[in-house]
Amino acid sequence: MCSGTRIKTRKRNIAAPLDPSAFADAVVQIYLDNAGDLELVARSIESSDLNFSRYGDTFFEVVFAGGRTQPGTLKPDEGECHPYSIIECEAKRDAILPSVIYIQKILRRRPFLIKNLENVMRRLLQSLELFEENERKKLAIFTALAFSQKLSGLPPETVFQPLLKDNLVAKGLVLSFMTDFFKDYLVDNSLDDLISLLKRGKIEDDLLQFFPSTKRSAEGFSEHFTKAGLVPLVEYNEKKIFEVKLKEMKSALTTQIVEESDMSEVIETVKQRVKDAKLPDIEVIRILWDVIMDAVQWSGKNQQQNANSALRQVKTWAKLLNSFCTSGNIELELIYKVQMQCYEDAKLMKLFPEIVRSLYDQDVLAEDTILHWFRKGTNPKGRYAF
């Protein structure tokens, strides 16, 4: 790439160039004069009178590509270049980390250059198809290390959003890049750190958008990242999908309960959502109880009126609860749910026995379940008072 590179060390006074080509050549010469020693390069740059405020983008082109890049390409094809760029080094963390630390030093002295780094990184990531696979991997490693090292003020949104270009996604280039990025970032950071970074980058909810349309599914996500050894990310995504489905079910059910829809229609809605989302029975009974009690119109006047409202609601929707209390374990979970609410809500503190009695009278709870709770119930909150 850098044919004709002059490796021989030369010393010269560096005058401030007045055009980007001359600026790029001057920076390249600093690399060559110091044989790529980034510590020495940083010192030389700090002591130079180069116009970084005007040619910041050009500077980072030299850092990443070894020389000034021409429009429509990301590799230098004229002017001087050096062989110590990020694209030219090995695709290994320990080979790329010195460049990240070097850039950090430059940014501490010239913090305004962060905008130029953003500009160049955006251009690089939007042009992944112009790189070879090994070069894309280097960019992914650099990006992971940049965030791991908390490179001065680099905003995640600026880095990640440009990747969502349809042509890059369709070719699978974005998925490959992000997979390498995730793997390298998680070497130094926790999954929580990664999720926080993705949230700041505003892509936490768009991870499937990195997949080509033919592979864009929960199953495709799990298969790909499991194969890549990123099981914690798969588990996180599955949990997130599960929570979304729970929320959607709760929202739909709340509307029907508030509107007092026909019982059979409500039961059918729950059954269909349970089937589609593969929700466990215990989660279903928790949601049902929450939605039923959230819909109670609390008068706020006195304890007896509130008690009457709660018991009336239990009686009204007992058939719904009964449809999904299909085992002793689920009935026990319902008792625990009632117990927790009565313990935490002052309005209901004295209502626990009456609610349990009502659920028993409506055939929601069996006598054996109530006796089991009485003898061996494991939730201590309010248990002895109740």
Side-chain angles (χ1 to χ4, degrees):
M1 186 170 86
C2 292
S3 57
T5 297
R6 286 168 282 179
I7 301 295
K8 183 179 178 182
T9 300
R10 295 177 298 173
K11 301 293 182 184
R12 64 165 78 166
N13 293 325
I14 301 172
L18 299 177
D19 65 83
S21 295
F23 176 91
D25 287 346
V27 175
V28 167
Q29 192 57 49
I30 291 176
Y31 274 87
L32 298 176
D33 287 346
N34 293 284
D37 185 322
L38 295 180
E39 182 73 32
L40 298 177
V41 171
R43 290 179 192 171
S44 296
I45 284 176
E46 286 175 7
S47 62
S48 73
D49 57 356
L50 293 171
N51 191 348
F52 286 90
S53 61
R54 185 171 183 178
Y55 300 117
D57 282 17
T58 302
F59 170 69
F60 284 111
E61 289 174 11
V62 174
V63 172
F64 278 97
R68 186 182 177 220
T69 61
Q70 302 301 313
T73 180
L74 291 169
K75 297 183 179 181
D77 56 4
E78 60 181 56
E80 293 193 72
C81 62
H82 69 84
Y84 310 110
S85 67
I86 293 169
I87 295 302
E88 285 290 312
C89 71
E90 287 186 273
K92 295 180 179 179
R93 292 166 55 81
D94 57 356
I96 295 174
L97 181 58
S99 292
V100 177
I101 296 172
Y102 158 70
I103 291 174
Q104 184 75 286
K105 290 178 181 177
I106 300 297
L107 291 176
R108 283 174 183 156
R109 289 293 300 270
R110 296 178 172 84
F112 62 87
L113 284 175
I114 189 65
K115 289 297 181 184
N116 302 105
L117 175 60
E118 289 178 42
N119 293 340
V120 173
M121 286 193 69
R122 186 185 302 113
R123 188 147 55 89
L124 293 174
L125 297 179
Q126 285 182 326
S127 306
L128 286 178
E129 72 269 27
L130 299 180
F131 292 101
E132 297 172 5
E133 182 179 354
N134 199 41
E135 294 171 336
R136 291 193 291 269
K137 184 175 180 64
K138 295 172 191 176
L139 288 177
I141 295 173
F142 172 85
T143 306
L145 288 172
F147 287 123
S148 292
Q149 297 292 317
K150 297 178 173 55
L151 200 61
S152 302
L154 185 64
E157 185 177 1
T158 302
V159 174
F160 294 130
Q161 290 297 327
L163 288 167
L164 295 174
K165 285 180 63 177
D166 290 344
N167 65 314
L168 297 179
V169 173
K171 293 176 181 177
L173 301 179
V174 176
L175 180 57
S176 177
F177 176 91
M178 290 305 296
T179 302
D180 287 333
F181 169 80
F182 289 150
K183 290 168 75 171
D184 278 288
Y185 185 80
L186 288 172
V187 170
D188 298 322
N189 304 275
S190 69
L191 182 65
D192 287 342
D193 293 330
L194 176 60
I195 300 308
S196 175
L197 182 67
L198 296 177
K199 284 180 179 178
R200 287 188 285 125
K202 298 182 180 179
I203 60 168
E204 183 215 4
D205 296 325
D206 288 328
L207 296 185
L208 272 181
Q209 299 305 308
F210 293 132
F211 282 72
S213 57
T214 54
K215 300 179 180 179
R216 196 171 295 166
S217 66
E219 294 76 14
F221 186 101
S222 297
E223 181 181 349
H224 174 81
F225 286 116
T226 298
K227 188 175 180 181
L230 294 170
V231 174
L233 184 63
V234 173
E235 293 172 345
Y236 165 80
N237 192 61
E238 289 175 347
K239 181 181 178 183
K240 187 176 178 63
I241 292 172
F242 178 75
E243 290 172 350
V244 168
K245 289 178 178 178
L246 282 183
K247 186 176 181 180
E248 290 174 347
M249 176 178 164
K250 192 169 185 177
S251 177
L253 192 54
T254 297
T255 300
Q256 289 186 309
I257 297 289
V258 170
E259 295 176 353
E260 298 183 350
S261 300
D262 181 75
M263 181 68 71
S264 60
E265 181 183 335
V266 177
I267 292 173
E268 186 55 38
T269 296
V270 177
K271 286 183 177 178
Q272 190 59 49
R273 287 189 172 271
V274 169
K275 180 181 178 182
D276 293 344
K278 300 177 182 177
L279 300 176
D281 296 335
I282 285 180
E283 289 292 344
V284 174
I285 207 64
R286 290 171 181 164
I287 291 175
L288 291 180
W289 180 257
D290 282 341
V291 171
I292 288 171
M293 296 310 291
D294 287 348
V296 174
Q297 298 299 313
W298 305 110
S299 67
K301 293 179 180 178
N302 61 57
Q303 186 73 22
Q304 189 56 50
Q305 286 176 319
N306 283 331
N308 291 339
S309 296
L311 292 171
R312 186 165 52 249
Q313 187 78 339
V314 171
K315 186 175 181 180
T316 300
W317 296 102
K319 186 176 179 181
L320 175 62
L321 292 169
N322 191 38
S323 296
F324 296 93
C325 277
T326 54
S327 71
N329 285 337
I330 299 175
E331 291 178 29
L332 194 60
E333 185 62 34
L334 178 57
I335 295 182
Y336 288 146
K337 188 70 179 173
V338 174
Q339 179 184 344
M340 284 298 298
Q341 186 167 13
C342 290
Y343 176 76
E344 295 172 352
D345 191 333
K347 295 190 300 293
L348 305 176
M349 181 62 78
K350 297 180 181 179
L351 269 186
F352 179 76
E354 294 184 63
I355 291 176
V356 172
R357 163 71 72 173
S358 179
L359 291 171
Y360 170 73
D361 290 341
Q362 302 297 323
D363 293 327
V364 177
L365 298 177
E367 181 178 347
D368 288 348
T369 303
I370 299 172
L371 290 173
H372 179 86
W373 173 85
F374 178 74
R375 293 168 183 154
K376 300 181 180 180
T378 57
N379 195 323
K381 293 187 177 180
R383 175 174 169 76
Y384 294 106
F386 297 150

